[in-house]
Amino acid sequence: GENVEQHPSTLSVQEGDSAVIKCTYSDSASNYFPWYKQELGKRPQLIIDIRSNVGEKKDQRIAVTLNKTAKHFSLHITETQPEDSAVYFCAAIFHAGKSTFGDGTTLTVKP
Amino acid sequence: GAVVSQHPSWVICKSGTSVKIECRSLDFQATTMFWYRQFPKQSLMLMATSNEGSKATYEQGVEKDKFLINHASLTLSTLTVTSAHPEDSSFYICSARGGGGNTEAFFGQGTRLTVV
């Protein structure tokens, strides 16, 4: 089955700096890669996603890049703000199948 | 995005009793629902996948007789934790996906289960 590794497990940045979280996946058939933000005790919220036919996608301060050859994808958050502090999860999915999640990254943005 | 409602948000039960958690898709038909368990500071671990009208597919290590899943309609799936024990205390989250090869899944708000 699919295996997703996520790094780093914790990340602390100063407000205004950029944050980058990376994930690698094992199954080359995976073709959909969402990123979720989860605040303590709440449901994961989809913040951005990318499909395998696209190399990069951007939505305001958030961007995701995908390298299919190397089987890795990354989340980039620019101009970080304290409210960006949360746990972020990546996931890899093959054609509407089950999601395999990374272990999560706890992001802390210091004011 | 689509709305998935999960109920209850939290529940405390005595050891040995059973607890039922409901997951409803409010504005779309969920052909597939997923049930996850999340321990503190850990990732979401898939417990089972259910398709409307068929038996759930459980992940390895998940006891199907302990975690009963019913997906009787396109808008409702239930998870029943039977004979609950303190080690079953966790955050349980469902997600629902529509049909037609749609890959995006929408999460319920989760249920915090505490077994005392």
Side-chain angles (χ1 to χ4, degrees):
Chain A
E2 176 65 275
N3 181 47
V4 177
E5 294 189 358
Q6 183 172 345
H7 299 279
S9 56
T10 60
L11 180 60
S12 181
V13 300
Q14 209 64 38
E15 183 178 0
D17 287 350
S18 296
V20 180
I21 304 170
K22 298 181 179 180
C23 286
T24 61
Y25 61 99
S26 60
D27 190 345
S28 58
S30 291
N31 58 4
Y32 175 63
F33 307 92
W35 283 90
Y36 296 92
K37 176 184 180 181
Q38 187 180 29
E39 297 177 352
L40 189 64
K42 296 187 178 179
R43 80 182 86 193
Q45 298 274 13
L46 178 70
I47 55 172
I48 197 167
D49 55 12
I50 192 168
R51 300 185 187 277
S52 60
N53 58 348
V54 176
E56 183 174 0
K57 184 177 179 180
K58 188 174 182 180
D59 182 5
Q60 299 182 336
R61 296 188 296 111
I62 297 173
V64 56
T65 58
L66 170 65
N67 184 325
K68 284 195 304 181
T69 303
K71 290 189 282 191
H72 66 70
F73 55 111
S74 301
L75 175 70
H76 304 253
I77 305 175
T78 59
E79 300 173 30
T80 54
Q81 301 167 3
E83 49 265 39
D84 293 330
S85 297
V87 180
Y88 291 82
F89 293 98
C90 63
I93 304 170
F94 167 62
H95 188 60
K98 61 185 181 183
S99 305
T100 301
F101 287 86
D103 287 339
T105 297
T106 300
L107 174 64
T108 303
V109 180
K110 299 178 181 178
Chain B
V3 179
V4 175
S5 176
Q6 188 173 339
H7 178 81
S9 299
W10 59 272
V11 57
I12 301 173
C13 70
K14 291 185 177 181
S15 186
T17 61
S18 295
V19 174
K20 180 184 283 187
I21 302 169
E22 293 187 348
C23 182
R24 293 181 185 272
S25 56
L26 299 185
D27 52 3
F28 70 103
Q29 293 185 327
T31 55
T32 305
M33 286 190 173
F34 304 91
W35 287 95
Y36 298 87
R37 181 168 50 185
Q38 187 177 34
F39 292 108
K41 298 186 179 181
Q42 293 189 21
S43 188
L44 291 89
M45 300 304 298
L46 181 66
M47 299 175 66
T49 303
S50 73
N51 292 293
E52 185 266 339
S54 61
K55 289 185 178 180
T57 301
Y58 290 81
E59 295 299 302
Q60 192 173 9
V62 178
E63 300 174 57
K64 62 180 181 180
D65 294 330
K66 180 172 182 60
F67 299 99
L68 303 179
I69 292 172
N70 184 285
H71 192 165
S73 78
L74 284 171
T75 59
L76 174 64
S77 176
T78 61
L79 167 67
T80 301
V81 182
T82 62
S83 187
H85 291 284
E87 56 264 33
D88 297 325
S89 298
S90 186
F91 193 51
Y92 292 86
I93 310 177
C94 69
S95 73
R97 174 184 294 149
N102 187 9
T103 46
E104 185 173 356
F106 301 93
F107 284 91
Q109 59 265 56
T111 298
R112 173 75 58 193
L113 170 63
T114 303
V115 185
V116 298

